Amino acid sequence: MPSSAPPTAAQRPPTRSPFTGPGEQGRQLWRAAGETALAGLLVLLTYQALDWYRGQPSMLGMTLDGSVMVVLALVGIGLVLVRRRFPAWSLLGLSALMGLFPATGLLTAVASYTAARQTEARRRRVAVLLAGLVSAMLAGFASAPDTGLGSRPYGLVLGAVLAATTVLIPGLVGTARGQQDRLVRALRERTAAAEEARRLADSEARMHERSRIAAEMHDLVGHRLSLISLHAGGLEMALQEQAPELREEAALVRGATRDAMRELREALGVLGPLGRDTGTDALTDATGTRPDIEALVAESRGVGVPVEFSWDGEDLDARPARVRRAVHRVVRESLTNVHRYAAGAHVTVAVTHTGERVKVRVRNGVPPVPPAATTGLGSGRGLTGLRERVALLGGTVEAGSTPGGGFSVTADIPADPASGAQAEEAENGADAPPHEERPQGSTPVRAGRRLQRGLTSAAVGLLGLAGVGAMMLFGVVLVNEARPSRPYHPFEPRVGMTREQIQREWITDNDMVRAAAAGREPHRPASATDCMYPWVDKKAKDGRLPIVRYCFRSDILISIDRFTVPVVTEPQPPRGSRTHD
């Protein structure tokens, strides 16, 4: 009966944070806080750059109220924070927001990059980017009159330029990066699958070799037990008349031998049926001795393989059967590989018996005819089986290409293998994969590498944002310069204007002009409190300099007087001052 109890916390799926992307765990609050500060800084820098260029408040749609701009900036920051969880909606929202408030352009570029990188489906990715382009253009077109951009066509063109630089270009970069990430992930999965297949193949080869060794042990031990049983039966019959009191002991030995043979078959039966070797591969007392190796060499010579054979030291007939069997398998497997992959190559077989060690080396040269492409390089299971067999004896097997282009197999086998605990240790050591990977470096080193990669990615991202900002500003400049300009109307001061209205047009007092007019100017109006002597953009003519004097009463312009004064040298206007005639 199903339980009606609510699912436990362990059974509930983990709640995803709005700040996390696919495959990420945790709420990522620290990262969100850092991105909030960085996003605010980007909005501020973009606003300052546009404000520096615009010149007039109504040039780039920056006439919005200050509180409205703050609200729009906060909305943009919120949208860029959830771009990993909702990439498409974040991009669409920021694209539309950029049409109203161009200072959020860099945030739109970040959202476009993330959306294109995370979206795997090509059609969906194209649809999202096109939707971002259209939303930015429509927002600029619709909001142009209200934000001070001017006409709607100008807003549409400006939105298209901003969309191209902040949506299209980062989207293309994000698409390339996403494809690279997916390719690397696929390659890693294929590599892991290949490693797993190789591990399984090696494990299968080792188990097959162990099964073969178990079958050989069955043949050897079973043969010895059969002899013991026969001798015990003969002894039982002989003692029946000569020493009846010992007949039961002989019968007990024969029964124990029979039970041992049955238990041996049952223990080895779990390994599965294995075909018995025949011919020179059959298990005999001569297996692995010099005549046996010579027979293997003779078989290879009989099929046309030039084999050079040498034996150094005593024969192995006094050594354990498993040592002789290992020597036999090394030579036989090596020659078999020569027949398959280097037919016709010159081969040297050398066996060295030093009393404590048995060294076997089989080396072949380059074949006169390259092997067929279908043969490949082999599965390597035979060498894996050799390593397993020799490792169980406490020896080693080295196989690899030679500098001349051939191949060499070298086995170093102890003449008297370890027994007891040493044999068990060797067998346990053989269970480990021959190419088991070790952790590279300590945890602090790996953490340092991750930090280095993170800093590098951050630096590249900031450089990319700087490039996008430069392109965005350049596009704005081009569009603004292409916009029809208003006709120029020179400013004409009039009596009754305030001092602030005149100074707003960069008409200011000039000390050099004031000094030139001192003592040579006409009388000031009686009610004037002070006068201003701006620079006049006219050269002195006939040794006289034209001057315009503005006299004020309580910061109200009451008089405009024009006169000339004699000068000896023509004074130069101060740098950065505006002239007025």
Side-chain angles (χ1 to χ4, degrees), residues 452-576:
Q452 182 180 5
R453 289 194 296 268
L455 293 178
T456 302
S457 300
V460 173
L462 291 177
L463 290 177
L465 288 176
V468 171
M471 289 189 295
M472 184 177 70
L473 184 59
F474 181 70
V476 168
V477 171
L478 290 181
V479 174
N480 186 70
E481 294 297 331
R483 184 175 60 169
S485 60
R486 298 178 180 178
Y488 173 72
H489 299 285
F491 176 74
E492 290 292 340
R494 298 184 304 274
V495 175
M497 287 186 173
T498 63
R499 184 190 300 271
E500 183 181 359
Q501 290 177 334
I502 295 177
Q503 290 180 345
R504 192 182 300 167
E505 298 297 328
W506 296 92
I507 300 176
T508 58
D509 192 32
N510 186 272
D511 294 338
M512 296 177 61
V513 178
R514 178 183 290 274
R520 300 180 179 89
E521 59 182 323
H523 292 287
R524 298 181 179 181
S527 60
T529 56
D530 65 322
C531 295
M532 181 187 300
Y533 301 85
W535 179 262
V536 179
D537 191 15
K538 288 186 178 180
K539 296 183 179 181
K541 185 178 181 180
D542 298 332
R544 301 188 69 83
L545 177 67
I547 296 178
V548 179
R549 183 183 66 186
Y550 299 96
C551 294
F552 297 87
R553 181 178 63 234
S554 301
D555 293 333
I556 301 297
L557 182 62
I558 62 173
S559 172
I560 302 176
D561 302 313
R562 290 179 173 83
F563 56 93
T564 60
V565 296
V567 293
V568 177
T569 59
E570 182 177 0
Q572 298 295 328
R575 186 176 183 180

Side-chain angles (χ1 to χ4, degrees), residues 250-295:
L252 181 61
V253 171
R254 185 166 60 87
T257 304
R258 184 176 60 254
D259 294 339
M261 291 180 63
R262 186 184 67 257
E263 293 174 357
L264 178 63
R265 293 190 183 96
E266 293 177 354
L268 299 181
V270 297
L271 299 176
L274 291 174
R276 291 293 182 261
D277 297 332
T278 59
T280 57
D281 200 29
L283 180 61
T284 63
D285 291 338
T287 299
T289 60
R290 181 168 183 171
D292 178 59
I293 303 302
E294 289 177 346

Side-chain angles (χ1 to χ4, degrees), residues 313-328:
E314 299 180 356
D315 203 346
L316 299 178
D317 50 0
R319 295 302 177 183
R322 50 181 178 166
V323 175
R324 293 185 283 108
R325 189 66 172 174
V327 173
H328 174 91

Side-chain angles (χ1 to χ4, degrees), residues 344-402:
H346 183 268
V347 183
T348 58
V349 178
V351 180
T352 303
H353 181 201
T354 60
E356 296 180 356
R357 314 289 296 184
V358 179
K359 296 184 179 180
V360 182
R361 188 184 68 177
V362 180
R363 182 173 183 176
N364 64 272
V366 180
V369 178
T374 55
T375 61
L377 298 178
S379 63
R381 297 186 180 183
L383 293 177
T384 303
L386 290 182
R387 291 190 180 97
E388 175 69 13
R389 178 183 290 271
V390 174
L392 291 175
L393 298 176
T396 58
V397 173
E398 296 180 359
S401 301
T402 60

Side-chain angles (χ1 to χ4, degrees), residues 187-439:
L187 291 177
R188 287 178 178 174
E189 292 176 355
R190 292 185 60 181
T191 302
E195 288 292 332
E196 180 67 15
R198 183 191 61 82
R199 187 186 65 81
L200 293 177
D202 291 347
S203 177
E204 180 183 357
R206 286 193 297 270
M207 293 303 299
H208 183 75
E209 191 65 23
R210 291 189 178 188
S211 300
R212 191 187 299 273
I213 294 172
E216 296 169 0
M217 182 179 66
H218 175 271
D219 293 341
L220 290 173
V221 178
H223 177 66
R224 301 302 181 187
L225 290 177
S226 298
L227 293 178
I228 295 175
S229 179
L230 290 175
H231 288 293
L235 182 61
E236 181 183 0
M237 294 179 62
L239 292 177
Q240 185 175 2
E241 297 180 356
Q242 299 179 3
E245 66 277 4
L246 299 178
R247 178 177 176 276
E248 295 182 0
E249 297 295 335
L252 181 61
V253 171
R254 185 166 60 87
T257 304
R258 184 176 60 254
D259 294 339
M261 291 180 63
R262 186 184 67 257
E263 293 174 357
L264 178 63
R265 293 190 183 96
E266 293 177 354
L268 299 181
V270 297
L271 299 176
L274 291 174
R276 291 293 182 261
D277 297 332
T278 59
T280 57
D281 200 29
L283 180 61
T284 63
D285 291 338
T287 299
T289 60
R290 181 168 183 171
D292 178 59
I293 303 302
E294 289 177 346
L296 292 176
V297 172
E299 285 186 359
S300 296
R301 289 173 179 170
V303 295
V305 178
V307 183
E308 180 181 348
F309 174 68
S310 64
W311 185 289
D312 187 11
E314 299 180 356
D315 203 346
L316 299 178
D317 50 0
R319 295 302 177 183
R322 50 181 178 166
V323 175
R324 293 185 283 108
R325 189 66 172 174
V327 173
H328 174 91
R329 286 297 308 278
V330 170
V331 176
R332 189 189 67 180
E333 184 67 29
S334 301
L335 292 178
T336 301
N337 289 337
V338 172
H339 296 169
R340 292 178 179 175
Y341 311 116
H346 183 268
V347 183
T348 58
V349 178
V351 180
T352 303
H353 181 201
T354 60
E356 296 180 356
R357 314 289 296 184
V358 179
K359 296 184 179 180
V360 182
R361 188 184 68 177
V362 180
R363 182 173 183 176
N364 64 272
V366 180
V369 178
T374 55
T375 61
L377 298 178
S379 63
R381 297 186 180 183
L383 293 177
T384 303
L386 290 182
R387 291 190 180 97
E388 175 69 13
R389 178 183 290 271
V390 174
L392 291 175
L393 298 176
T396 58
V397 173
E398 296 180 359
S401 301
T402 60
F407 198 81
S408 176
V409 178
T410 304
D412 186 1
I413 307 170
D416 292 318
S419 60
Q422 295 180 357
E424 182 178 358
E425 180 180 358
E427 183 175 354
N428 293 334
D431 291 336
H435 303 288
E436 183 178 1
E437 296 181 358
R438 296 293 190 269

